């Protein structure tokens, strides 16, 4: 007994106090970052500082003498990998973009490994070619570098040399016909701009609770994070799709790199360190699809969390040694863009709210300040909710689900910083297109070919049991109301752990 008391007094309590201090500092970092971005976004709305008012973007003027030559040459790239459910949607949308036919090249970069899917995509391209569209079907023998490798090879074809700009769309993205008409003028009239990023609009946001919660997170990302970065610094992370690049800027930054799974972010950082600026135009929206199965969402979040951590390590000195970027912009990229948003946020969400707070129930000597438990988390939650006001009634579900996902994001960040395990693994987010609507709503839907064991997620189940024990202990012996949050969080972990979130992937034909 004396040994246990000694262990508690000498090791456990001091260690917990140090961990608490670190978590509180991280929480302050996150809070300051959220407030600054929130005020910037508010400033944009109050003073109408829209991109259309900051940058010249008058439409391209028709010229009878020049004809179609008045329009610059544009390359439209669509990278694909076994996109059976959505390849027709993206190719059709790209081919329907309003732009002189002789001034646009549509390039389908097919890395598919399934022979049947390769043939289907080839036939679809051929069909549009016969309709008079300038479409190129390009296929590699390997997947070296994944998406970055495909884009890099795609830029090396001879016909690309005559293009000034390149628009990029992932396989599930469907741009409106006027996409180029609205984006290209920003690049034409502002020679210091390298990128025009459009906003994502989700066609399946109402498919299930999980997609509703994703929509809340993504809307905050675009309406606040991207908008504040564009307004304050002329920089933000390229989203990898639904954007138009100046090809000169891509070349100036050194082209595509495949050293991480966030090749889009890599290119964006290198380009801004070369002195280029970006603009986010939220009024231009491109239809896309959210992951509607939990397994697909986990893979996506692993890539989006692990990749930035890997990139942070690789670009650390490159950021500080850049000569064309100001000290303030370099500090912003290092602290705000990488450290606060992509490392600290995940750690403090998981380790503070899901681990430290429950553990303090067994250690009454550890006192957590009320501001850290109530005021700051509430403020951060409300700041996140402004992105999707129509879903504010789901804010509690969103908090609980985000805490669950912080487990995987924290794990992914650690893997990325250590560059171990799946640090550079690229698993394409599976899209269902119209397939989910067609098959999941039928009577009991034909059961998917998902093995029973694949429905269970051990980490979530383990966390759910841990939190349930903590909550029950607090309910029985505690003199606070922590158990309300802890038990709700434990149920969320258990629901996710047993696979009752998202939709079931329909059986393939």
């Amino acid at each position: 007994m004396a040994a246990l008391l000694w262990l508690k007094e000498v090791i456990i309590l001091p260690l917990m106090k140090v961990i608490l201090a670190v978590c509180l500092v991280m929480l302050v970092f996150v809070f300051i970052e959220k407030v600054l971005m929130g005020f910037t976004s508010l400033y944009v709305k109050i003073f109408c500082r829209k991109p259309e008012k900051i940058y010249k973007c008058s439409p391209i003027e028709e010229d009878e003498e020049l004809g179609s030559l008045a329009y610059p040459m544009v390359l439209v790239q669509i990278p694909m990998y076994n996109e059976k459910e959505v390849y027709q949607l993206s190719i059709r949308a790209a081919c329907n973009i309003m732009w002189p036919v002789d001034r646009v090249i549509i390039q389908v970069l097919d890395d598919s490994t399934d022979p049947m899917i390769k043939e289907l995509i080839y036939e679809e391209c051929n069909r549009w070619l016969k309709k008079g569209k300038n479409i190129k079907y390009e296929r590699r023998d390997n997947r070296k570098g994944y998406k970055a490798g495909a884009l890099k090879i795609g830029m090396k074809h001879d016909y690309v040399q005559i293009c000034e700009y390149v628009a990029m769309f992932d396989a599930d993205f469907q741009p409106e016909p006027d996409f180029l008409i609205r984006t290209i003028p920003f690049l034409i009239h502002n020679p210091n701009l390298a990128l025009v990023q459009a906003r994502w609009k989700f066609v399946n946001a109402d498919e299930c609770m999980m997609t509703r919660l994703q929509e809340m997170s993504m809307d905050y990302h675009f309406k606040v994070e991207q908008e504040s970065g564009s307004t304050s610094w002329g920089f933000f992370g390229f989203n990898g799709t639904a954007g138009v690049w100046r090809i000169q800027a891509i070349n100036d930054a050194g082209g595509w790199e495949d050293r991480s799974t966030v090749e889009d972010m890599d290119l964006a950082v290198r380009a801004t360190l070369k002195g280029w600026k970006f603009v986010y135009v939220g009024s231009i929206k491109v239809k896309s699809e959210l992951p509607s199965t939990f397994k697909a969402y986990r893979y996506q979040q692993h890539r989006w969390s692990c990749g930035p951590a890997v990139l942070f390590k690789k670009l650390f000195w490159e950021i500080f040694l850049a000569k064309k970027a100001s000290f303030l912009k370099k500090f912003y990229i290092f602290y705000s863009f990488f450290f606060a948003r992509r490392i600290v946020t995940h750690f403090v969400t998981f380790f503070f709210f899901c681990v430290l707070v429950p553990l303090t129930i067994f250690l009454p000597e550890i006192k957590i300040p009320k501001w850290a438990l109530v005021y700051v988390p509430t403020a951060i939650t409300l700041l996140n909710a402004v992105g999707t006001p129509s879903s504010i009634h789901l804010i509690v579900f969103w908090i609980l689900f985000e805490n669950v996902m912080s487990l995987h994001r924290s794990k992914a960040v650690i893997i990325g910083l250590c560059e171990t395990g799946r640090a550079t693994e690229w698993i394409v987010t599976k899209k269902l297109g119209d397939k989910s609507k067609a098959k999941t709503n039928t009577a009991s839907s034909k059961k998917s070919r998902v093995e029973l064991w694949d429905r269970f997620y051990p980490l979530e189940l383990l966390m759910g049991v841990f939190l349930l024990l903590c909550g029950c202990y607090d309910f029985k012996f505690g003199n606070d109301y922590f158990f309300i949050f802890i038990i709700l969080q434990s149920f969320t972990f258990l629901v996710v752990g047993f696979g009752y979130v998202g939709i079931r992937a329909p059986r393939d034909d």
Side-chain angles (χ1 to χ4, degrees):
M1 191 67 175
L4 289 175
L5 287 174
W6 178 87
L7 183 66
K8 177 181 177 181
E9 294 294 333
V10 178
I11 297 179
I12 296 177
L13 284 177
L15 180 61
M16 289 291 287
K17 288 179 180 179
V18 170
I19 295 173
L20 174 60
V22 172
C23 285
L24 292 179
V25 171
M26 290 195 296
L27 186 63
V28 171
F29 283 165
V30 173
F31 176 67
I32 293 173
E33 179 65 17
K34 296 287 185 182
V35 169
L36 289 175
M37 289 191 297
F39 273 118
T40 304
S41 183
L42 186 64
Y43 164 78
V44 171
K45 289 174 176 58
I46 291 177
F47 295 98
C48 297
R49 299 295 293 167
K50 297 296 182 183
E52 294 84 353
K53 293 190 176 182
I54 298 175
Y55 296 95
K56 294 179 181 178
C57 57
S58 53
I60 298 173
E61 295 182 1
E62 299 285 346
D63 191 307
E64 292 185 5
E65 292 185 5
L66 291 175
S68 63
L69 293 178
Y71 293 79
M73 199 72 188
V74 180
L75 175 71
V76 177
Q77 287 185 316
I78 311 174
M80 293 190 174
Y81 176 70
N82 292 337
E83 309 285 1
K84 179 183 177 183
E85 308 301 335
V86 294
Y87 74 94
Q88 286 181 310
L89 299 176
S90 57
I91 293 176
R92 178 172 68 240
C95 289
N96 284 330
I97 288 179
M98 294 185 295
W99 204 256
V101 177
D102 60 330
R103 305 302 291 169
V104 62
I105 302 172
I106 299 163
Q107 185 185 64
V108 177
L109 303 169
D110 185 20
D111 275 0
S112 300
T113 53
D114 187 316
M116 182 190 74
I117 296 176
K118 286 194 286 189
E119 185 62 28
L120 288 172
I121 296 174
Y122 173 74
E123 289 177 359
E124 182 69 11
C125 292
N126 240 358
R127 191 168 70 85
W128 285 101
L129 184 65
K130 292 176 181 177
K131 289 185 176 182
K133 300 296 180 180
N134 190 2
I135 187 168
K136 308 286 185 181
Y137 175 77
E138 306 291 354
R139 189 162 62 196
R140 298 191 296 166
D141 295 329
N142 59 73
R143 288 195 71 210
K144 183 180 178 182
Y146 302 110
K147 179 180 173 181
L151 293 170
K152 191 172 187 176
I153 295 297
M155 296 296 289
K156 292 182 178 180
H157 292 283
D158 292 338
Y159 56 82
V160 175
Q161 307 311 311
I162 62 173
C163 297
E164 296 180 58
Y165 310 106
V166 54
M168 300 173 191
F169 302 102
D170 282 350
D172 59 314
F173 279 71
Q174 305 167 53
E176 295 295 330
D178 64 351
F179 180 84
L180 293 181
I181 290 175
R182 298 180 65 185
T183 54
I184 294 294
F186 281 97
L187 297 170
I188 291 176
H189 299 300
N190 303 278
N192 63 332
L193 281 182
L195 167 68
V196 180
Q197 174 70 61
R199 181 179 161 190
W200 298 1
K201 179 181 179 182
F202 308 108
V203 297
N204 65 331
D206 295 326
E207 192 164 32
C208 61
M209 178 64 77
M210 193 181 78
T211 54
R212 288 288 299 275
L213 301 179
Q214 286 181 68
E215 182 189 35
M216 293 175 69
S217 297
M218 293 303 297
D219 279 351
Y220 175 82
H221 168 69
F222 282 106
K223 289 183 179 180
V224 180
E225 289 183 348
Q226 299 295 70
E227 188 172 72
S228 64
S230 175
T231 303
S232 303
W233 304 97
F235 166 74
F236 47 83
F238 173 44
N239 293 112
T241 177
V244 185
W245 276 88
R246 188 186 302 274
I247 292 179
Q248 179 190 349
I250 295 178
N251 296 332
D252 188 35
W256 292 101
E257 291 280 357
D258 58 7
R259 54 186 169 179
S260 73
T261 57
V262 284
E263 74 297 322
D264 43 13
M265 185 182 294
D266 190 345
L267 178 62
V269 174
R270 285 184 285 114
T272 201
L273 292 177
K274 289 288 186 179
W276 292 97
K277 291 185 177 182
F278 308 155
V279 61
Y280 163 71
V281 187
S283 59
I284 303 175
K285 301 176 183 179
V286 180
K287 295 178 184 176
S288 63
E289 180 182 329
L290 289 163
S292 51
T293 66
F294 184 62
K295 188 174 183 179
Y297 186 52
R298 275 184 62 179
Y299 282 136
Q300 182 200 68
Q301 292 303 298
H302 174 86
R303 177 161 51 89
W304 285 5
S305 302
C306 184
V310 173
L311 189 62
F312 181 60
K313 280 186 64 178
K314 294 185 180 298
L315 286 175
F316 186 88
W317 290 111
E318 193 172 333
I319 292 171
F320 282 104
L321 297 176
K323 296 179 180 179
K324 293 186 178 181
S326 66
F327 172 78
L328 285 177
K329 180 169 278 192
K330 288 189 282 188
F331 179 78
Y332 171 78
I333 295 173
F334 174 83
Y335 168 74
S336 180
F337 183 74
F338 276 115
F339 186 67
R341 292 189 217 168
R342 289 166 176 83
I343 295 178
V344 170
T345 298
H346 304 322
F347 283 151
V348 75
T349 302
F350 177 66
F351 289 106
F352 182 63
F353 293 106
C354 298
V355 179
L356 186 63
V357 171
L359 283 178
T360 57
I361 289 169
F362 304 104
L363 300 168
E365 297 88 347
I366 303 293
K367 301 295 183 183
I368 302 177
K370 194 172 183 179
W371 62 264
L373 280 173
V374 180
Y375 302 137
V376 170
T378 301
I380 291 174
T381 300
L382 292 175
L383 287 169
N384 276 287
V386 299
T388 316
S390 60
S391 297
I392 197 166
H393 60 289
L394 300 175
I395 195 68
V396 174
F397 298 102
W398 177 81
I399 294 169
L400 297 172
F401 185 66
E402 282 294 293
N403 287 348
V404 172
M405 293 311 302
S406 69
L407 164 65
H408 296 287
R409 292 169 184 149
S410 299
K411 184 181 74 170
V413 168
I414 293 171
I415 290 172
L417 291 175
C418 298
E419 293 191 62
T420 59
R422 295 161 49 206
T424 56
E425 181 184 21
W426 181 291
I427 298 179
V428 175
T429 306
K430 184 175 177 59
K431 293 95 176 178
L432 300 180
D434 295 327
K435 187 174 183 177
S436 60
K437 295 178 183 177
K439 296 190 177 183
T440 56
N441 292 329
T442 59
S444 190
S445 201
K446 296 175 184 176
K447 290 189 177 179
S448 61
R449 294 180 305 182
V450 177
E451 297 293 335
L452 182 62
W453 179 249
D454 288 342
R455 285 185 51 192
F456 299 110
Y457 299 94
L459 281 178
E460 284 86 347
L461 292 175
L462 187 63
M463 280 300 303
V465 172
F466 162 72
L467 289 170
L468 186 59
L469 292 174
C470 293
C472 291
Y473 182 90
D474 187 56
F475 176 76
K476 181 69 176 177
F477 302 105
N479 56 2
D480 51 47
Y481 294 95
F482 285 3
F483 67 87
I484 297 175
F485 163 75
I486 295 173
I487 290 177
L488 283 174
Q489 189 64 71
S490 72
F491 287 166
T492 307
F493 269 102
L494 291 172
V495 167
V496 173
F498 282 114
Y500 290 107
V501 64
I503 68 167
R504 297 286 182 84
R507 184 189 297 270
D508 289 334
D509 291 329

